[in-house]
Amino acid sequence: MHTAVRTLVLLGLSIGIATQAQGQTSASVDFCVNVQNALAILAPNGPISLNHDGTAGIKSFAPQTFSAVCNDGDGATVTFGTVAGFVHNTLPLVTRDVKLDLAIASSDTEAGWTVDVVSDQSDITNLVPDLSSQVQASSSGPGNVELQLTVSMDSGSVTTLVPGTYCTTVYATITAN
């Protein structure tokens, strides 16, 4: 019986020694890069001003470039809108219509940017006034775009155009599709 125990102990030592003598012949390790969501819209510096020429009709500001950044796989939608027309700075009941026009200046081709709503204008003289204006562009995939927004004031009849400063605020939003 003493011989059998000794053989088992020797056998155990020999297996242990053999395992320790063998080394790895290959190894691997993962390297990962975390990419943050990039969904942003950058507006030009403002305020943007225009001197009225004293004539009736539409008075347009120079087109303003907004940069949109999108890395979402489904693309994004950019919306420009106003909640009111042009409002007189000291007489808030004196207003004029606002018109928005949207175009694509440049874009990443693979993103598929298109203008969905090219133009919209408020109509404050309607029986039920339409005070807002909204235009929109969207993409079908990731990619950046330079959008040109033209804002215009319909000054209407100059005989009823009260002197002063008229302002409107355009809100730009970007959302993932």
Side-chain angles (χ1 to χ4, degrees):
M1 187 165 170
H2 193 286
T3 307
V5 171
R6 178 189 257 165
T7 304
L8 286 174
V9 169
L10 288 176
L11 182 58
L13 285 175
S14 105
I15 291 173
I17 291 170
T19 302
Q20 290 176 355
Q22 292 179 343
Q24 282 183 260
T25 59
S26 66
S28 66
V29 63
D30 293 335
F31 290 83
C32 302
V33 177
N34 293 319
V35 177
Q36 299 298 316
N37 182 25
L39 196 61
I41 186 149
L42 305 169
N45 292 329
I48 300 160
S49 298
L50 172 71
N51 288 323
H52 196 278
D53 64 5
T55 62
I58 304 288
K59 306 302 170 197
S60 298
F61 291 81
Q64 299 298 308
T65 302
F66 289 75
S67 300
V69 176
C70 170
N71 70 352
D72 189 280
D74 293 329
T77 299
V78 176
T79 304
F80 298 92
T82 63
V83 294
F86 282 90
V87 178
H88 192 277
N89 65 331
T90 58
L91 302 168
L93 296 179
V94 177
T95 60
R96 290 294 192 255
D97 284 320
V98 60
K99 181 178 184 217
L100 302 179
D101 293 291
L102 186 61
I104 295 174
S106 66
S107 68
D108 294 339
T109 307
E110 63 278 2
W113 281 98
T114 59
V115 177
D116 306 315
V117 180
V118 175
S119 184
D120 189 28
Q121 180 173 336
S122 65
D123 192 348
I124 58 175
T125 60
N126 264 355
L127 184 58
V128 177
D130 176 9
L131 301 176
S132 64
S133 181
Q134 185 173 303
V135 292
Q136 179 178 294
S138 63
S139 69
S140 55
N144 302 336
V145 66
E146 299 283 323
L147 295 164
Q148 284 199 324
L149 181 71
T150 302
V151 177
S152 304
M153 174 182 168
D154 186 349
S155 50
S157 171
V158 291
T159 59
T160 60
L161 191 59
V162 177
T165 302
Y166 293 75
C167 294
T168 190
T169 302
V170 175
Y171 298 93
T173 59
I174 185 168
T175 56
N177 291 339

